[in-house]
Amino acid sequence: MEPVTAELIERIDACIEALFAPSDPVLARNIADAQAAGLPSFQVSPNQGRLLYLLAKLIGARRVLEIGTLGGYSATWLARALPADGLLVTLELNPRHAEVARRSLERAAITPRLDLRVGPAADSLRDLIRSAVPPFDLVFLDADKSGYVEYLGLVLELVRPGALILADNVIRHGLVIDPSPGDPNDAGAKAYNEAIASDPRLESLILPIVRARVDGLATSMVR
Ligand code: SAH
Ligand code: MG
């Protein structure tokens, strides 16, 4: 048996991608435009995009909330899982990122309604709570990890029973195992994992996301 190496894992990931998440013109253009605009390439992998898409379909999601839009790559995958009368709300702090994402999602002619809100996610979440929007079926957290615990508290006011709350990058190459991580994002992810593990309103597990580095997708179902 081959030893588990980063190189082997990359080859396996590429093999799965070729089978289940091959690129297409819309996804390729999304990545190219984000790169051309100088955005960091923090987007989910194609396989993880496919996972988000499948999970959204699995629960029959109609209303999805994303926190951390970047160039709209994960938003494209999520939007594709929604019915034509569905809604994707996506929150982004950086106006430049939001601008690139808006252009990209408009060009992709995404059919569900798109509501892209620019500003600190916590403010946008409070606005959504204040305006008493109908509950969301699925939430994808992928902004600053230091804010995850705060976002969780707010998100729990915006979801229906049975909703799925997903949070990206919660393992951080294993740095969350440290008893007290120095980096605020590592500490934030660690605190988030502990919060979902003990919150009586949730049933959770972390799905490992193994690529060149090890990470994880926190997966919680609202009781
Ligand atoms: N979900 C995207 C990647 C998001 S990267 C994808 O997979 O395609 C994280 C994004 O969160 C960045 O664009 C960053 O600007 C944004 N962000 C950081 N802090 C934020 C905050 N406080 N509120 C909202 N967005 C924030
Ligand atoms: Mg991420």
Side-chain angles (χ1 to χ4, degrees), residues 33-137:
D33 284 3
Q35 224 160 35
L39 267 51
S41 55
F42 293 156
Q43 73 279 353
V44 297
S45 69
N47 289 340
Q48 206 185 333
R50 178 74 177 169
L51 176 62
L52 295 175
Y53 167 90
L54 275 177
L55 289 172
K57 281 221 149 169
L58 193 62
I59 63 159
R62 308 182 68 81
R63 297 174 53 86
V64 168
L65 170 62
E66 177 181 67
I67 305 176
T69 317
L70 191 63
Y73 181 79
S74 52
T76 302
W77 279 101
L78 287 165
R80 284 178 171 182
L82 297 180
D85 62 348
L87 170 71
L88 173 67
V89 179
T90 182
L91 314 179
E92 174 54 55
L93 175 66
N94 188 319
R96 223 164 45 79
H97 297 184
E99 177 56 36
V100 172
R102 191 184 301 283
R103 240 190 299 125
S104 200
L105 291 162
E106 273 169 12
R107 200 184 32 239
I110 295 302
T111 39
R113 196 149 53 84
L114 177 75
D115 180 354
L116 200 173
R117 299 182 179 210
V118 183
D123 292 354
S124 299
L125 291 170
R126 282 194 200 94
D127 285 344
L128 288 166
I129 294 168
R130 255 196 306 274
S131 49
V133 294
F136 290 95
D137 306 305

Side-chain angles (χ1 to χ4, degrees), residues 129-210:
I129 294 168
R130 255 196 306 274
S131 49
V133 294
F136 290 95
D137 306 305
L138 187 152
V139 181
F140 178 48
L141 275 77
D142 196 18
D144 55 316
K145 317 310 164 198
S146 53
Y148 272 18
V149 171
E150 183 186 14
Y151 303 151
L152 177 65
L154 297 166
V155 157
L156 279 166
E157 297 187 41
L158 287 164
V159 290
R160 66 163 168 87
L164 210 48
I165 302 177
L166 307 170
D168 197 24
N169 312 115
V170 298
I171 294 299
R172 311 193 59 75
H173 330 131
L175 292 169
V176 296
I177 303 169
D178 190 305
S180 52
D183 176 85
N185 283 311
D186 299 340
K190 181 183 174 68
Y192 181 83
N193 297 340
E194 288 164 1
I196 58 169
S198 61
D199 195 311
R201 295 168 290 186
L202 299 172
E203 295 191 282
S204 306
L205 188 66
I206 297 170
L207 302 180
I209 301 286
V210 185

